[in-house]
Amino acid sequence: MVDLASDFVVERPARRDRRLLPLTESFAVRVTLIAIALLFLGVFLILPLVVVFSEALRLGLRAYGAALVEPHTLAAIRLTLLTAIIVVPLNAAFGIAAAWAITKFNFRGKDLLITLIDLPFSVSPVIGGMVFVLLFGLQGVLGPWLATHGIKIVFAIPGIVIATLFVTLPFVARELIPLMQKQGTQQEEAALMLGANGWQVLRRVTLPNVKWSLLYGILLCNGRAIGEFGAVAVVSGHIIGLTNTMPLQVEVLYNDYAFAAAFAVASLLTLMALATLGLKTWLEWRAGALPARTRLH
Amino acid sequence: MRLEVKDLTKHFESTLVLDRINLEIREREFVGLLGPSGSGKTTLLRIFAGLVFPDSGQVLIDGRDALALPFEERQIGFVFQSYALFNHMSVFENVAFGLKVRSRRKRPTKREIEDRVRQLLKLVQLGELESRFPAQLSGGQRQRVALARALAIDPKVLLLDEPFGALDAKVRVELRRSLRDIHDATGLTTVFVTHDQEEALDLADRVAVMNQGCIEQIGTPTQIYEEPQTPFVFDFLGRTNSFDCVIENGHVRLGDKVLAVEPGTPDGPAVAFVRPHDIVLSRAGNAQPTDDARLEKPAVVRFVSALGQRAAVELLYERKLIEAETSREKLTELGLHVGDRCSISLRLPRIYAKADADRTSGAEGQRGMRLRVRRRPRAA
């Protein structure tokens, strides 16, 4: 019994274990499968990561630092963060509102709304960007009106924000809807019966019940908002120092043969992604361990 | 508080769930809404609570139109079937919720809230568990928390949806008693929903039996049990044997007796419903005249089981299964065994028009199933 866990370790000679293990594949098959998986991971995930950082640091730390504080790059970093700061709260609010409406109320067109929320996932981001160019661009539907009022959306920051909003729209709502559907409306009803108003129900009952999923959705939304390339590339116009986000700046630098600088910015994006991954794992662990945590209180 | 509904009708989509319901619940009364699933009892309770709005009809609380009242003015405590406790709050926080969400003007002080919560937890015997979370409680404890939470807002009416549904038998009986005690101690008007006839009859001052969106009968447990006005009520409250008969001129011939039927029952095909313990057995050919209606033909014993003081006898009468219940001594005295012939008499049969009895088709189905359970006769 005590040894049971170690029976599952692959290195162990298979002869004695075969009778005990539910796995009937031979030692060789198991090793091969695991080797293939590791190789795949290595070539397609670990190796690129290593390349990104080694290329970024090829000219030394000093050059790396210099590349990052270069004014245009700094502008790109600022723009990316600004976009994320605007987009993430908006989409979090939208996600909560949509999930709340869909899961706690019955209304006509509910299924259509669910489908529409998923649209940005099924449409190529480039098309998403194109749509806004067609809508707000000079030749677009609203373009002339916007132009006469001096409002610039496409090839300017508002366009980037709108395109990013579009692409990241589903993240929070999609995290919340299944969970809130599962939870039903009884706790909300109980709170109402106890005299709570709508705002109190949301703040004291609904949100605490979904807080881990909400954080998780916000995190995914944030990751995508920072890394979005396709949609933003279409609407940004690539005005260096003005409308270039980090991913676009990487492309510009790379096309200028400034490889080390390109990889330096890329490494920064990668670090953000890794941090997101770490946080996500922590959130998953935290949410999974919730009953255990409650017990400690 | 007095609760009253008038001509209440409710559809869900195209399904009629409540069909012109009229019901009055008096102050301090303890009323059970009893019925099978789909009878509309929970919908009626949720309309009282204000969680569901009727299509038409009135809901009056102390004569005031309740449909226009916001939740905090209805003063209704509601205990949900699955309790709906707030999982992220401790027992204390759960109970305090209704007080803490009040507007600053009406909210008691922190100290007062604490005192009130502790007092309630003591009332439901959960004093020492206030810092636990719902996930750490047993079903019975959760139910008590839900009850305390509902009582915290000082309701005048307490509504409970299947309050004991998810509990095991022993805890259920225990909580039943304590709910009755709390009702008596607080002077609340209490309405609860249940599909368990024993629970309803045991607990309530009055029981309303519901079926297919209508109230079939409302009365005290004794009235309901002893004078079921419709075949549905008779059948829903216990095991039922039915015998076909015909009403002529307000009388029905049943075995060796001619009985007057209740006024208002139309002439024509009818059924006599008899409870198993009202089937009187005697040895065939050993007939002594009694007040009971003795059937001419003998029945054959198919199955006998004796448990404690009671003995259940299954008989075949004219190709139909009859369930009888008698005392163990009586069974020994009769010396009945599987395969024996005996004669049966019907005590207190209740006669209903055949058309009405057929309307309770759901209940018929249940009875059919019961008969099919034991296939192979065993020796006594």
Side-chain angles (χ1 to χ4, degrees), chain B residues 228-300:
Chain B
Q229 261 149 33
T230 68
F232 174 82
V233 175
F234 190 105
D235 197 73
F236 194 71
L237 287 188
R239 301 183 153 218
T240 307
N241 295 297
S242 71
F243 298 88
D244 290 329
C245 52
V246 179
I247 303 176
E248 279 168 12
N249 301 323
H251 286 75
V252 65
R253 185 172 181 82
L254 209 56
D256 60 354
K257 297 276 185 306
V258 173
L259 308 165
V261 300
E262 271 190 39
T265 317
D267 281 7
V271 285
F273 275 9
V274 186
R275 297 256 179 250
H277 56 81
D278 288 328
I279 301 261
V280 183
L281 304 173
S282 52
R283 289 214 67 106
N286 189 10
Q288 272 159 19
T290 59
D291 290 347
D292 307 328
R294 177 190 298 275
L295 302 180
E296 287 98 357
K297 291 186 187 143
V300 178

Side-chain angles (χ1 to χ4, degrees), chain A residues 45 94 103 118 153 188 210 217:
Chain A
L45 282 172
F94 165 78
T103 56
D118 272 352
I153 290 183
E188 280 79 9
V210 297

Side-chain angles (χ1 to χ4, degrees), chain B residues 288-361:
Chain B
Q288 272 159 19
T290 59
D291 290 347
D292 307 328
R294 177 190 298 275
L295 302 180
E296 287 98 357
K297 291 186 187 143
V300 178
V301 178
R302 231 179 72 117
F303 176 80
V304 179
S305 90
L307 267 174
Q309 275 310 297
R310 312 299 303 160
V313 183
E314 233 178 68
L315 306 137
L316 211 54
Y317 175 77
E318 295 201 307
R319 301 245 217 71
K320 255 180 66 179
L321 269 179
I322 305 293
E323 285 183 81
E325 201 181 286
T326 180
S327 72
R328 198 168 184 155
E329 292 99 70
K330 177 86 175 152
L331 186 74
T332 324
E333 190 190 310
L334 291 168
L336 283 179
H337 297 285
V338 173
D340 286 356
R341 286 149 71 90
C342 70
S343 127
I344 56 183
S345 311
L346 313 179
R347 184 163 47 194
L348 302 171
R350 287 197 67 91
I351 319 289
Y352 301 104
K354 178 109 171 112
D356 290 344
D358 287 346
R359 200 166 49 82
T360 67
S361 51

